[in-house]
Amino acid sequence: MTSSAELDSVDWRILEELQNDATLANRTLAERIGLAASSCLQRVRRLREQGVITGSHIDVDPAATGLTLEAVVSINVRPHTRAVVESFREFVMAQPETRSLLHVSGQADFLLHLAVTDSAHLQSFLVDKLSARTEVRHFTTSVVLEQVHTRALTPPRPPRPARRRG
């Protein structure tokens, strides 16, 4: 289990800026935060060392690459053992259609986010790949109509002080 890093308001500003644009040059980031470039670089390095910053990435629009249909599939597997979960995870993550996989509690065991070219491609994935897995007992597919998301974490609000009765 990862322990939480203690973050101050400057750390949160750095995270906010980098979440909005991970390609920012250190000098630009430092100017936006109001720090010396050397101090900013030191803080970013510390955030990486503490595991707060785990990497950087670019966003690719699936539709712009020809993957115009996205779907979320709720999946139940049986038996729900560690070996089955790990094997299923490896299979799903090796598929080019997979955008993300969540192992969840509740009615479904997994939520699978797919990006495919069209409904025929989706059908092929569901029938030829997913249904062929012996551990898959049930799945329900929902086509994504709109996706609104953020990766940005924001600082938690401080707890309200308890009111004293007097």
Side-chain angles (χ1 to χ4, degrees), residues 17-161:
E17 291 294 334
L18 291 176
Q19 287 176 112
N20 290 328
D21 184 357
T23 65
L24 279 178
N26 184 63
R27 182 176 310 278
T28 305
L29 177 61
E31 288 171 4
R32 289 185 183 180
I33 302 301
L35 288 177
S38 59
S39 296
C40 186
L41 184 59
Q42 184 179 25
R43 281 182 175 257
V44 171
R45 282 185 181 151
R46 180 178 50 79
L47 291 167
R48 286 185 189 281
E49 289 168 2
Q50 292 177 330
V52 175
I53 296 175
T54 59
S56 54
H57 72 278
I58 61 168
D59 285 324
V60 176
D61 180 3
T65 65
L67 302 172
T68 58
L69 181 66
E70 293 184 66
V72 176
V73 185
S74 302
I75 305 165
N76 292 97
V77 297
R78 292 293 176 265
H80 195 178
T81 63
R82 186 167 305 278
V84 168
V85 166
E86 289 174 4
S87 171
F88 183 73
R89 180 186 321 120
E90 287 175 22
F91 162 76
V92 168
M93 295 310 295
Q95 304 309 307
E97 295 89 353
T98 298
R99 302 257 354 246
S100 64
L101 178 68
L102 300 170
H103 186 196
V104 297
S105 64
Q107 286 188 316
D109 297 320
F110 291 95
L111 296 176
L112 171 60
H113 180 192
L114 302 171
V116 294
T117 55
D118 55 24
S119 60
H121 186 180
L122 177 60
Q123 180 184 22
S124 175
F125 180 89
L126 297 173
V127 173
D128 300 334
K129 292 182 178 182
L130 196 58
S131 292
R133 299 290 298 191
T134 58
E135 71 271 30
V136 173
R137 292 297 179 241
H138 175 77
F139 63 86
T140 304
T141 306
S142 299
V143 171
V144 175
L145 301 176
E146 178 183 26
Q147 182 180 25
V148 180
H149 67 90
T150 181
R151 262 186 206 70
L153 291 175
T154 56
R157 291 186 174 144
R160 291 183 173 180

Side-chain angles (χ1 to χ4, degrees), residues 3-15:
S3 62
S4 296
E6 289 192 32
L7 304 176
D8 64 19
S9 62
V10 175
D11 293 329
W12 279 106
R13 286 277 297 127
I14 290 170
L15 293 174

